[in-house]
Amino acid sequence: MIKAVPPGRRRFVRTALAVLSVASLGGVAGAQAPADNWVQFRGNARLTGIAAGVAPPAQPALRWTYEAGEAIDASPAIADGSVYVASSNGDLIAIDLASGKLRWKYTTGGIIGESSPAVGGGQVFFGDLGGTVHAVSAADGSKRWTFKTGGEVKSSPTLAGDLVLIGSYDTHLYALDSRTGKVRWKLQTDGPVHATAAVHGDIVYITGCDEKLRGVKLATGAVVFTLTTGAYTGASTLVADNGQWAYFGTFNYEVLGVDLRAKKIAWRYRNPNREFPFYSSAAMADGRVIVGGRDKSVHAIDAATGKSAWTFATKARVDSSPAIAGGRVYIGSADGRLYGLDAKSGQKQWEFDAGAGITSSPAIASGRIVVGTEDGRVYCFG
């Protein structure tokens, strides 16, 4: 999907773009990352955290390590054999997935926080803490356009058709034309827009620091509904069950299950023994909502009832968001470990000690797992 110029790849490009088009319309492909790709934060526009294609082996081996220089809080994207990683030193780098060698580097001159790259239409999109949204060529890292917001950009972009949806701390959610960077519409909220927008069908779902979940028309930005959650929310919304349900954690120590058709909160889950926020964005596996907590645990919650299915304890807070492939949950912890857990039981099947905290979320494609760490390293397993 990235290198559209070589003739031998044109058929692949057409196929990949068709998959992205279906995903933006909320079809079956929207529930998973397109095969062999993990094109944005949480893998796809519905933010499900589910990988398609070849799953990593049960005991992944370290394939390569790349030294990016400074802390990596953003999550990688993987497309057409390239890994795209944003580092806090202000660089977006493209790394060859197979070899771990640098393909190109784009320098912003600023600082990049948690805004994870999104790849589509031959471009890579992300934001920085100076408030600028960047679009660069996926092939060579050359600048295509920039757009200046009025606040920090920690939100990750979501691609839907020819729109780039991205939030800013200036309280707006922006819909930008992916080709030009021009504003197609913008929605003002009552607080910073930290979370990443989810898209299903023609509706955009966005949680906020203003304690609200909104449904917004993709074409116009018109608000369809507003639901008060009662809590500051930094996590992004998982949309599941063909757009019937949404799930996300809050800073009020809860994970919420929202019935989108009824426009109401159906259940609230919290750790009965410890009160800590949920900053990690959720994934779905076999009818269970999987999410990390600042209570140092990974939680599996029955999606229908909101009851605990299992918990897995780490040694530090879990802000990393889970990625799911082959019946396993991959998630990082501030204890410096990347864990592979059985999705049904929560039993640990594998771990890797990186020696530095992991708040970045893993990306999975082509049987490989890629994640960044707080000491500036990018690891690839498979």
Side-chain angles (χ1 to χ4, degrees):
M1 167 171 81
I2 294 172
K3 296 184 177 179
V5 176
R9 305 193 87 112
R10 287 175 185 163
R11 184 165 59 88
F12 172 81
V13 171
R14 288 194 296 270
T15 302
L17 290 177
V19 169
L20 284 175
S21 177
V22 172
S24 71
L25 292 173
V28 174
Q32 304 182 109
D36 297 324
N37 292 286
W38 187 277
V39 295
Q40 68 161 84
F41 179 63
R42 315 306 298 126
N44 53 73
R46 285 169 57 187
L47 311 187
T48 63
I50 301 174
V54 179
Q59 297 293 317
L62 179 63
R63 297 294 182 176
W64 52 259
T65 304
Y66 181 87
E67 299 278 352
E70 291 189 25
I72 299 170
D73 295 317
S75 303
I78 306 173
D80 193 24
S82 287
V83 177
Y84 300 93
V85 180
S87 171
S88 61
N89 64 6
D91 292 340
L92 175 73
I93 55 176
I95 306 169
D96 183 80
L97 177 62
S99 67
K101 294 182 178 180
L102 181 69
R103 287 186 169 179
W104 53 254
K105 180 186 295 185
Y106 170 85
T107 300
T108 65
I111 300 173
I112 302 171
E114 299 168 45
S115 184
S116 304
V119 188
Q123 298 183 98
V124 186
F125 308 90
F126 67 98
D128 65 33
L129 296 186
T132 300
V133 181
H134 301 260
V136 305
S137 167
D140 60 15
S142 59
K143 176 181 174 181
R144 292 289 180 85
W145 54 258
T146 57
F147 173 80
K148 182 70 173 176
T149 75
E152 295 180 333
V153 177
K154 295 184 178 181
S155 170
S156 300
T158 293
L159 307 184
D162 61 352
L163 293 180
V164 180
L165 304 167
I166 193 165
S168 169
Y169 270 50
D170 68 5
T171 74
H172 289 87
L173 173 67
Y174 292 91
L176 308 177
D177 187 295
S178 63
R179 297 157 297 189
T180 65
K182 301 297 183 183
V183 177
R184 297 269 283 273
W185 55 259
K186 62 180 180 179
L187 170 71
Q188 184 166 17
T189 70
D190 299 319
V193 181
H194 179 96
T196 296
V199 180
H200 176 76
D202 62 350
I203 303 296
V204 180
Y205 299 94
I206 187 74
T207 53
C209 301
D210 59 1
E211 304 185 358
K212 295 173 182 175
L213 169 67
R214 290 178 172 85
V216 181
K217 279 287 187 182
L218 175 61
T220 64
V223 177
V224 176
F225 74 90
T226 302
L227 180 65
T228 299
T229 63
Y232 173 97
T233 303
S236 302
T237 305
L238 159 64
V239 179
D241 297 325
N242 201 30
Q244 296 183 45
W245 287 85
Y247 306 96
F248 54 89
T250 77
F251 272 72
N252 195 33
Y253 325 132
E254 296 178 322
V255 177
L256 306 184
V258 178
D259 185 331
L260 291 175
R261 291 187 176 178
K263 308 296 189 296
K264 69 177 184 180
I265 298 171
W267 53 255
R268 296 175 183 268
Y269 167 88
R270 66 168 60 207
N271 184 332
N273 302 313
R274 308 181 69 191
E275 293 190 335
F276 283 87
F278 288 91
Y279 189 67
S280 166
S281 297
M284 177 74 82
D286 297 322
R288 292 171 175 174
V289 179
I290 314 292
V291 64
R294 288 190 168 176
D295 60 355
K296 304 181 182 180
S297 296
V298 182
H299 298 256
I301 307 161
D302 186 279
T305 66
K307 304 297 183 183
S308 176
W310 54 257
T311 58
F312 173 82
T314 76
K315 297 179 181 179
R317 69 183 189 181
V318 183
D319 284 350
S320 175
S321 300
I324 297 174
R328 289 179 288 273
V329 177
Y330 297 94
I331 191 166
S333 170
D335 67 10
R337 292 171 173 83
L338 179 66
Y339 293 96
L341 310 176
D342 181 83
K344 292 183 178 180
S345 67
Q347 294 296 310
K348 183 177 68 176
Q349 297 186 332
W350 171 83
E351 73 172 49
F352 176 81
D353 188 353
I358 301 174
T359 58
S360 170
S361 304
I364 301 176
S366 300
R368 299 289 177 93
I369 309 162
V370 182
V371 72
T373 62
E374 288 297 296
D375 64 354
R377 290 183 172 91
V378 184
Y379 291 92
C380 178
F381 309 90

